[in-house]
Amino acid sequence: MAGLRNLFGNLRRSRTESEDFLLDAENTPHYVAVIMDGNGRWAQRRHMPAIAGHREGAKALKRTIKAARQAGIRELTVYAFSTENWQRPEQEVDDLMKMFGELIDREVPELAEKDVRVRFIGRRQDLSEKLLGKMEWAEKLSAANSTMSLYIAFNYGGRSEIIDAARAAAGNGLAAGEDVDFSKYLYAPEMHDPELLIRTSGEQRVSNFLLWQCAYCELYFSEKLWPDFGEQDLLEALAEFGRRQRRFGAR
Ligand code: IPE
Ligand code: IPE
Ligand code: MG
């Protein structure tokens, strides 16, 4: 029973007591995740190739990072490429990989200057050396920053993460029945569980995102396609979160 309680204790590690103390009165979430969906439809409606939607989506991400930082969000976790997205047409995957590399080069110095820490979560072994090099460079450049952490889920799958973590835990010789803080084996052990998960484009599903971490997060669905998402939309989602009553299974 103690082991179970310890395991479920993780669900509530979203805030420590001292962090609670820092909370503002309006109940703004500190840890927010976003499934940035709808780039393809945005492009399709304009008879443009998918990459045009992804490029516009990158602008929406830039706006959202800025707005999130201003709103006092401490950790923003965004879904950029899933382990399932490799199934897309080769041209789209190639264009996306190229775009990510360019975005890192172009945007990370400015983010680092704004005291944003950049971290990538996902399976790294399937990515090109060139892209990996850029990702590592971005993480190193921004490692000491603390105003906001931006977690970019890239070649990320919630199931892969749990399997990788279970392997790492087993490799550490953890015996059955032993107390385990499973979260320390996740891709970013220091990341807090998101309090709010936003998905755009009207789809209401999780699509293999943060399966472990979102055990108790509040879900918010926006009808807007990701390239059309702006600061006001983020603020609306945050306001809605403020109206939710979270119980974590208790009274
Ligand atoms: C999300 O937009 C971005 C990625 C998955 C990389 P989509 O490309 O999935 O957009 P829709 O769902 O086709 O409109
Ligand atoms: C989830 O969106 C992945 C990202 C936003 C990166 P998808 O468009 O891949 O998800 P499904 O296929 O609609 O479930
Ligand atoms: Mg989609």
Side-chain angles (χ1 to χ4, degrees), residues 36-182:
M36 310 183 287
D37 197 17
N39 296 348
R41 277 162 281 175
W42 188 94
Q44 210 169 30
R45 283 175 197 176
R46 289 162 179 77
H47 309 286
M48 291 160 101
I51 189 64
H54 296 312
R55 290 199 185 283
E56 206 60 28
K59 293 184 196 161
L61 175 57
K62 193 170 175 172
R63 290 197 294 273
T64 304
I65 294 168
K66 188 168 172 224
R69 191 176 160 280
Q70 280 168 355
I73 289 171
R74 304 301 314 278
E75 294 177 8
L76 179 69
T77 306
V78 297
Y79 207 2
F81 193 83
S82 77
T83 47
E84 287 72 35
N85 287 149
W86 294 105
Q87 301 171 67
R88 296 193 174 196
E90 203 179 324
Q91 182 70 54
E92 183 179 353
V93 172
D94 287 351
D95 287 348
L96 268 173
M97 293 296 149
K98 193 157 164 266
M99 187 187 89
F100 288 131
E102 289 166 6
L103 278 176
I104 293 174
D105 287 344
R106 198 173 68 227
E107 302 297 338
V108 169
E110 194 183 322
L111 287 173
E113 208 169 287
K114 298 240 165 73
D115 202 32
V116 174
R117 177 175 160 271
V118 180
R119 280 272 286 141
F120 295 90
I121 56 171
R123 272 200 178 153
R124 299 197 182 205
Q125 61 264 38
D126 310 325
L127 303 173
S128 75
E129 284 296 323
K130 194 172 163 200
L131 189 55
L132 271 179
K134 290 178 193 285
M135 287 159 66
E136 282 161 15
W137 168 79
E139 289 182 330
K140 220 171 185 177
L141 186 73
S142 65
N145 297 348
S146 60
T147 298
M148 186 175 87
S149 286
L150 172 68
Y151 292 95
I152 302 175
F154 195 80
N155 193 25
Y156 176 89
R159 287 187 173 179
S160 303
E161 179 173 39
I162 291 169
I163 289 168
D164 290 348
R167 271 206 200 107
N172 255 6
L174 284 170
E178 208 176 317
D179 271 9
V180 50
D181 179 7
F182 192 72

Side-chain angles (χ1 to χ4, degrees), residues 152-226:
I152 302 175
F154 195 80
N155 193 25
Y156 176 89
R159 287 187 173 179
S160 303
E161 179 173 39
I162 291 169
I163 289 168
D164 290 348
R167 271 206 200 107
N172 255 6
L174 284 170
E178 208 176 317
D179 271 9
V180 50
D181 179 7
F182 192 72
S183 59
K184 79 175 187 212
Y185 296 102
L186 299 173
Y187 294 135
E190 80 289 0
M191 192 181 103
H192 293 75
D193 292 346
E195 297 159 297
L196 172 67
L197 172 63
I198 299 171
R199 182 172 188 147
T200 58
S201 88
E203 307 296 352
Q204 303 195 353
R205 54 178 173 261
V206 180
S207 300
N208 203 13
F209 195 39
L210 304 177
L211 297 183
W212 178 269
Q213 297 88 339
C214 278
Y216 267 97
C217 71
E218 295 294 322
L219 305 176
Y220 180 87
F221 300 105
S222 165
E223 288 299 322
K224 291 247 176 108
L225 299 176
W226 176 248

